[in-house]
Amino acid sequence: MLLTFIAVYLVISIGIGLYAAKRVKNTADYAVAGRSMPLAVVIAMTFATWFGSETVLGVSARFVQGGLGSVVEDPVGASMCLILVGLFFAYKLYQKNLITIGDYYRQRYGKVIEITCSIIIMVSYLGWVAAQITALGLVFNLLTQGQISTSAGMVLGTAIVLVYTLYGGMWSVAMTDFIQMIVIALGLIAIAWFASDLAGGAGKVMALAQEKGSLKLFPTGGIGDWIPFIAAAVTMMLGSIPQQDVFARVMSSKNAKTAVRGPVIGGILYFLFALVPMFVVMAAVLIMPETTNALLKDDPQKVLPTLVMEKMPLLLQIAFFGALLSAIMSTASATLLAPSTTFVENILRNIKPSMSDAATLKAMRWSVLVFTALVLTYALSMQGTSIYDLVSGAYQITLVGAFVPLVFGLYWKRATTQGAVLSIVLGVGTWLAFLSISSLAELFPAQLAGLIAALIGMFAGTLLPQAIADKKGHVHHFTGSSYD
């Protein structure tokens, strides 16, 4: 019965996505839904895209083991990212009427930075999409009680998401996200309510969390504890900002006001609903202590679905897996689309600048197909890596490579192409050096070292050439992308 309901839900989701595909007439429709989305849909897209497998399975598993301090990357940093996008980036970027975030780098710094940052952004999606595919495999394995292997479930789930994303692009993502947000919200609230009753009340659950020290967010030690905490916080808080999926939601808004409000409200809702799986998994410790302890040693990601399967009635099982699949599919569809549109718009069009709009649209669909195959292969090869680690690791490269040129390009008029080049070289180079040399990584977090190096590169690359020119008596003329 459970499988039947889930199958029906999946068919309905595919149907909605394919129906939305009828609205796609050109690349703007496919990439940013024609810049026509109202506030409610932008909020839903922002929330549903962020609320993925790591929120339900990964965050809850981390929280029950290490408390709030261990999930500072997500949901704390992730929700702050959306709020920062709305407050400081949405209005400025919306006014530029762009298709991708890569278009901004081209306008501000030129084609070299456009292509470089676009590649960085595309690479970052491997881990994020792989996390969703991994979760799909886990869900289908649990639903069929092992009859479908995790690997086969990953292939099946990917095929389902691919069908409507391939044809409908952002229109399909928008319409399915709106429905999936409702399913996520209602499903998780119902699960939390029932879990609270099983555990003896919300007060007992909160008392247990307090007793275990799970509600402590900030470190209590010295600088040795604070540095890793800050590094974890900024990874998603800042590293997620220069991302095409976030940018696409801003650009799909019907006006600038919607573009600003949507991410802010979506970010607040995301944080509030991310607390629900954490509450439920803490309740599981009270409801089934022996099973929970065993799963914590084996695979903490299974605690929440096991609680639902063993202790809750069929209706709530349907609600949970409907919400979980909604969370995964909404994130997966958006993160398959984002790197594909980035590749076509910012790399392929530089190779073939004379492409027509129809040819560009066709290329975007082919890119979605090819990127999906690549990510599925990557996800299968990374089996055994936790969902949370796959997601959090994905944003380090954008943090050290793409974040600084974006911020300084928008807020520092003196920023030049030379500064952007040196920022990327030093940021990514330092990050890779710290990752490859274990002794360095033990001394200081790689992503924080890379971010500091990127900042130094931006200032040095911008100011030193200007200082040299000043000594030679040259006059600077600001052209919009650099000083001459």
Side-chain angles (χ1 to χ4, degrees):
M1 185 65 72
L2 175 60
L3 282 173
T4 301
F5 276 103
I6 295 300
V8 170
Y9 174 70
L10 292 173
V11 170
I12 292 173
S13 295
I14 293 172
I16 292 171
L18 292 178
Y19 173 77
K22 294 180 179 180
R23 294 176 175 264
V24 177
K25 308 298 181 185
N26 52 48
T27 54
D29 288 337
Y30 194 79
V32 292
R35 289 167 62 95
S36 60
M37 294 293 106
L39 180 60
V41 176
V42 175
I43 292 171
M45 287 195 299
T46 307
F47 170 85
T49 297
W50 236 233
F51 205 98
S53 60
E54 74 285 355
T55 315
V56 180
L57 300 177
V59 169
S60 60
R62 276 291 188 97
F63 172 73
V64 76
Q65 291 178 302
L68 279 177
S70 66
V71 294
V72 65
E73 285 179 81
D74 189 9
V76 179
S79 57
M80 281 303 301
C81 164
L82 294 176
I83 294 170
L84 291 174
V85 166
L87 294 178
F88 299 105
F89 296 88
Y91 183 82
K92 285 179 174 288
L93 291 173
Y94 189 85
Q95 300 299 319
K96 297 181 181 297
N97 194 24
L98 308 171
I99 296 293
T100 68
I101 187 69
D103 293 344
Y104 167 76
Y105 290 108
R106 180 182 67 249
Q107 285 190 5
R108 184 63 175 83
Y109 299 113
K111 288 186 177 181
V112 172
I113 301 300
E114 171 196 10
I115 293 172
T116 304
C117 287
S118 295
I119 292 172
I120 288 172
I121 291 167
M122 287 168 57
V123 170
S124 73
Y125 280 100
L126 281 173
W128 199 9
V129 188
Q132 313 315 313
I133 292 174
T134 300
L136 285 169
L138 178 63
V139 170
F140 282 117
N141 178 259
L142 288 170
L143 282 172
T144 60
Q145 297 180 345
Q147 293 182 30
I148 295 179
S149 67
T150 301
S151 297
M154 292 164 73
V155 175
L156 175 61
T158 303
I160 292 170
V161 176
L162 175 64
V163 169
Y164 65 82
T165 307
L166 182 66
Y167 290 100
M170 184 55 71
W171 268 110
S172 290
V173 171
M175 293 188 71
T176 52
D177 277 3
F178 188 75
I179 301 299
Q180 287 162 348
M181 176 186 171
I182 296 171
V183 174
I184 292 168
L186 295 179
L188 287 179
I189 289 173
I191 294 295
W193 191 283
F194 195 82
S196 177
D197 284 343
L198 289 177
K204 286 190 175 182
V205 178
M206 296 304 293
L208 176 63
Q210 186 72 39
E211 180 185 330
K212 291 169 63 68
S214 299
L215 302 182
K216 293 179 181 178
L217 174 61
F218 298 106
T220 54
I223 192 170
D225 292 329
W226 274 96
I227 289 177
F229 178 84
I230 293 170
V234 300
T235 298
M236 290 190 72
M237 187 186 303
L238 305 182
S240 301
I241 291 175
Q243 289 284 3
Q244 174 59 24
D245 59 294
V246 178
F247 178 82
R249 273 128 199 82
V250 170
M251 297 307 294
S252 66
S253 305
K254 66 178 183 179
N255 54 47
K257 185 180 292 186
T258 300
V260 171
R261 292 177 178 177
V264 173
I265 299 173
I268 294 170
L269 287 176
Y270 173 72
F271 179 76
L272 294 176
F273 274 95
L275 297 175
V276 178
M278 289 189 262
F279 174 85
V280 175
V281 80
M282 188 59 66
V285 177
L286 292 171
I287 297 167
M288 47 178 205
E290 294 181 2
T291 303
T292 300
N293 288 332
L295 288 173
L296 287 176
K297 295 176 183 177
D298 177 35
D299 187 353
Q301 296 170 148
K302 292 182 178 180
V303 172
L304 195 50
T306 301
L307 170 66
V308 174
M309 292 290 285
E310 293 187 0
K311 300 295 182 180
M312 296 192 179
L314 176 62
L315 185 60
L316 288 182
Q317 291 178 14
I318 294 170
F320 173 76
F321 283 102
L324 179 55
L325 284 170
S326 292
I328 297 169
M329 292 194 302
S330 62
T331 302
S333 60
T335 49
L336 285 175
L337 180 64
S340 305
T341 55
T342 298
F343 169 75
V344 174
E345 183 70 17
N346 303 112
I347 297 177
L348 187 59
R349 284 181 70 90
N350 277 309
I351 299 172
K352 294 184 175 182
S354 60
M355 287 176 64
S356 66
D357 191 76
T360 303
L361 178 58
K362 184 177 181 180
M364 284 183 178
R365 285 177 167 145
W366 273 107
S367 297
V368 169
L369 182 62
V370 172
F371 187 77
T372 301
L374 289 174
V375 172
L376 177 59
T377 303
Y378 178 75
L380 289 169
S381 69
M382 292 295 289
Q383 285 191 71
T385 305
S386 76
I387 292 170
Y388 194 94
D389 288 339
L390 283 170
V391 171
S392 60
Y395 296 106
Q396 292 191 18
I397 189 169
T398 45
L399 174 68
V400 302
F403 174 72
V404 171
L406 173 64
V407 175
F408 280 77
L410 287 172
Y411 284 98
W412 194 36
K413 289 184 178 181
R414 297 183 68 182
T416 63
T417 301
Q418 297 97 317
V421 169
L422 193 57
S423 174
I424 294 170
V425 170
L426 288 183
V428 175
T430 303
W431 173 67
L432 290 174
F434 271 71
L435 286 181
S436 58
I437 303 173
S438 58
S439 57
L440 289 177
E442 291 173 2
L443 290 174
F444 202 76
Q447 69 270 39
L448 197 55
L451 176 61
I452 294 170
L455 289 167
I456 293 172
M458 175 57 75
F459 285 115
T462 297
L463 298 178
L464 287 179
Q466 294 170 18
I468 293 171
D470 286 337
K471 286 186 178 181
K472 294 181 178 180
H474 291 172
V475 178
H476 302 304
H477 301 284
F478 185 60
T479 64
S481 60
S482 63
Y483 277 92
D484 297 332

